[in-house]
Amino acid sequence: MSEIRPKIGITQGDTNGVGWEVILRTLADSRMTELFTPVVYGSLHAAKAYMPLLDNEEDEKVEFFTISSAREARRGKVNLVECGNVTPQPGVASAEAGKAAVEALEKAMIDLSNGELDAMVTAPINKETAQSDKFPYTGHTEFVAAHAEGEPMMIMCSDRLRVGLVTIHIPVAEVSRNISKEKIMQSLTTLRQTLKADFGIVEPRIAVLALNPHAGEGGMLGSEEQEIIKPAIEESFEQGVLAFGPFPADGLFASGAYAKYDAVLAMYHDQGLTPFKTLSPDGVNFTAGLSVVRTSPDHGTAYDIAGKGVADAQSMRNAIYTAIDITRNREAWVEWTANPLQRFEREKGRDVSVKDLKLPEQEEE
């Protein structure tokens, strides 16, 4: 990865939503290509259809450099891998738009998996229209996880707050049976590792939310806190994870106590995302725990405002900034955690194992 301009793939998302509008508005600022090399995956026809919406004085015309894969991307250009061609119908949920979104996502994932991209930023899709026999996933997180190494965790992040989720896209009625001591402990381990390697926090403090109102009221309102969540926190703490709780969600956020922690671990989707989006309306969705970097804006297709020229691109910009930061942090983490003796020998042009190295005090006089 280049320290100056990492190569970031951007997928078009649902062509009938606000995806193209926020992509174009982001890339209409030519200074963005000084930060990274964009590789957009999507329909040139759809892009041109939304181009007239760039009517602000600060917006510049976006000129695409068409390529067949990220390998051909040029610095200083807004590169475009043409795919998912479709005529947009702003505000309409259609199978055609869903298919086009999936095609762009799959193309980008191939380049990301092959190391041709440093990270991928995904514009929002409609989960219902995107699903098919060939795309049986409930969202981007599940798709990326199926094509990368590691155990995925959805993390919502901003300068103000980070929220990780134990369960993601499942019905609320199934949350209780889908949490366990082992799953919470694994989530805490993943969250701790990503906070260290991806966000540069030396030793993060994590607040864990309860599942039931008032943290179960000693078992009166539910037993999950006493039987599952608290034992998971205690054992994780013994293993070096600075985890605290379980805290009632309303009290932690309403009192502002969340600010004392580097992240919050929520038990289910809306428990974490509702306060996050209230406190950080321009936040970012990051799929942590995987071998690849993927971020996205924290909003959906927004059919109600699609094609009207009013969509705010700040969350898309933040998703790109976050992808750049995480990619660089991961590179730095590899350097920080590398064996210093091996690194010293490599810098001298020798590649040897630790057992071949002799510490100064071991040298014969």
Side-chain angles (χ1 to χ4, degrees):
M1 183 203 74
S2 167
E3 293 183 359
I4 301 175
R5 295 180 186 176
K7 196 184 296 184
I8 308 293
I10 305 172
T11 62
Q12 67 178 355
D14 190 312
T15 53
N16 296 341
V18 297
W20 265 116
E21 185 175 345
V22 297
I23 291 170
L24 291 170
R25 187 148 286 144
T26 297
L27 299 178
D29 185 341
S30 60
R31 294 173 297 180
M32 295 297 286
T33 57
E34 298 174 10
L35 297 176
F36 74 108
T37 298
V39 182
V40 185
Y41 294 78
S43 167
L44 181 58
H45 177 66
K48 289 181 177 179
Y50 285 102
M51 200 79 74
L53 297 178
L54 300 180
D55 56 0
N56 294 329
E57 291 183 4
E58 63 269 22
D59 289 338
E60 303 171 27
K61 183 180 179 180
V62 179
E63 296 184 357
F64 291 102
F65 179 71
T66 304
I67 57 177
S68 60
S69 75
R71 180 176 297 183
E72 301 172 1
R74 294 188 184 180
R75 288 186 175 185
K77 300 284 189 180
V78 178
N79 301 277
L80 175 72
V81 177
E82 269 205 85
C83 55
N85 284 302
V86 65
T87 299
Q89 298 176 283
V92 178
S94 72
E96 292 77 16
K99 183 179 179 181
V102 169
E103 185 179 336
L105 178 60
E106 291 176 336
K107 280 262 191 180
M109 193 67 218
I110 290 173
D111 282 349
L112 183 65
S113 299
N114 290 337
E116 301 297 337
L117 295 171
D118 294 305
M120 178 173 69
V121 177
T122 57
I125 62 173
N126 181 320
K127 295 177 176 60
E128 183 178 354
T129 62
Q131 276 201 331
S132 67
D133 292 339
K134 295 182 178 180
F135 191 85
Y137 308 101
T138 54
H140 282 113
T141 301
E142 293 79 6
F143 170 79
V144 177
H147 294 80
E149 296 179 2
E151 290 295 324
M153 168 177 277
M154 179 187 287
I155 293 181
M156 308 301 293
C157 51
S158 70
D159 292 339
R160 188 174 188 180
L161 177 64
R162 302 179 193 91
V163 176
L165 303 179
V166 176
T167 63
I168 308 176
H169 296 127
I170 63 173
V172 173
E174 297 180 11
V175 171
S176 180
R177 71 175 72 108
N178 276 276
I179 64 172
S180 65
K181 175 185 171 183
E182 292 73 24
K183 190 166 186 177
I184 293 172
M185 290 182 65
Q186 179 59 51
S187 296
L188 284 168
T189 298
T190 299
L191 185 53
R192 175 182 183 243
Q193 179 60 23
T194 195
L195 290 169
K196 290 164 72 74
D198 297 332
F199 293 91
I201 300 171
V202 176
E203 191 53 73
R205 291 166 52 88
I206 302 171
V208 181
L209 297 183
L211 176 64
N212 298 298
H214 308 293
E217 285 281 18
M220 294 177 61
L221 301 178
S223 61
E224 287 86 356
E225 284 74 21
Q226 291 179 315
E227 297 177 359
I228 299 174
I229 303 175
K230 188 174 181 180
I233 294 171
E234 292 175 345
E235 189 166 335
S236 294
F237 195 93
E238 291 174 359
Q239 295 178 5
V241 181
L242 300 184
F244 305 88
F247 300 107
D250 57 348
L252 185 76
F253 288 108
S255 67
Y258 66 88
K260 299 177 182 178
Y261 302 91
D262 298 295
V264 175
L265 182 65
M267 293 298 115
Y268 60 95
H269 187 279
D270 284 15
Q271 183 189 47
L273 268 64
T274 299
F276 176 85
K277 291 186 176 184
T278 301
L279 294 166
S280 301
D282 296 321
V284 174
N285 180 350
F286 166 48
T287 305
L290 299 179
S291 55
V292 297
V293 177
R294 174 259 168 175
T295 66
S296 74
D298 71 349
H299 57 73
T301 55
Y303 286 142
D304 58 322
I305 61 171
K308 297 180 180 180
V310 297
D312 188 344
Q314 190 56 51
S315 187
M316 172 59 76
R317 294 189 194 98
N318 290 342
I320 292 172
Y321 298 150
T322 300
I324 294 172
D325 289 343
I326 290 174
T327 304
R328 289 176 174 166
N329 285 341
R330 283 194 179 186
E331 195 171 71
W333 175 257
V334 171
E335 179 68 17
W336 296 336
T337 56
N339 186 297
L341 298 177
Q342 289 179 313
R343 184 169 66 246
F344 174 72
E345 292 297 317
R346 282 198 300 270
E347 290 172 355
K348 292 171 64 177
R350 300 196 298 269
D351 188 10
V352 297
S353 64
V354 175
K355 63 180 174 28
D356 295 322
L357 297 173
K358 184 178 292 186
L359 296 174
E361 58 267 27
Q362 295 176 316
E363 294 180 352
E364 297 178 359
E365 296 182 358

